[in-house]
Amino acid sequence: MTIEWSVHPSARIAEDVIVRGRGRITVAEFATIEEHVLIDLGGAGSGRIDLEPRSKVKFGTALRCYNGSIEIGLHSTVGDHSVLYGHGGILIGAHCGIGPHCVVTSSGHITSGLDVPIRYQGEVVAPVKVEDDVWMGAGVRVLAGVTVRTGGIIAAGSVVTASTPPHFMCAGVPCRPKRRRRPDPEVP
């Protein structure tokens, strides 16, 4: 098996997208993969990328499955020059905005051994889930095992090391809930 493509006729994939590895890529109706995007499925044949309808992967982004999976939900956008590492699986829900230069990783290095260099101790994988209607500002980092809950806002430059509550604005290094989002009384 090399690469199994399923691309809806209305989807748009730039001519210079780089695709490596083996696995499956699904691009639904009106989904877009812009210029200079790297898709690395991994070599084992189990890498998977799924772009739901009207989702968009913007200029210069890297989707690196490492034999895991990356799913981008309905009408969600991954901003320019972002990197998603899907070793343990990444699921981005519907209507999400992931800002430019963000990094989402679903794995981490084992660091417990002192007699072996860290890079040779292996990795632990843990899925990342970004639920529906989440907005992440520029330069956000989301680490393995985290769930960013529905309606959340993650401020630019934040490092998300733990799951966030729904409908909260969160910020900082490490990222912490700052205030609950409330309906605007001026908006009908």
Side-chain angles (χ1 to χ4, degrees), residues 47-165:
R48 190 179 91 236
I49 304 262
D50 291 317
L51 275 65
E52 291 191 14
R54 298 190 183 278
S55 59
K56 183 179 283 190
V57 178
K58 298 196 80 175
F59 184 94
T61 291
L63 304 177
R64 303 188 76 117
C65 288
Y66 295 108
N67 302 309
S69 64
I70 298 172
E71 300 175 50
I72 301 172
L74 172 72
H75 211 275
S76 288
T77 299
V78 178
D80 301 276
H81 301 286
S82 291
V83 182
L84 278 60
Y85 296 105
H87 307 52
I90 295 172
L91 173 60
I92 297 173
H95 309 289
C96 294
I98 310 298
H101 299 277
C102 289
V103 176
V104 180
T105 183
S106 57
S107 70
H109 289 279
I110 297 170
T111 60
S112 56
L114 300 178
D115 56 337
V116 176
I118 293 169
R119 69 177 296 165
Y120 303 119
Q121 292 184 40
E123 294 180 322
V124 175
V125 296
V128 169
K129 185 174 185 182
V130 178
E131 294 180 347
D132 297 343
D133 188 30
V134 167
W135 172 43
M136 290 185 199
V140 168
R141 301 327 193 214
V142 179
L143 303 185
V146 165
T147 298
V148 179
R149 297 228 162 60
T150 299
I153 297 172
I154 309 297
S158 295
V159 178
V160 186
T161 60
S163 295
T164 63

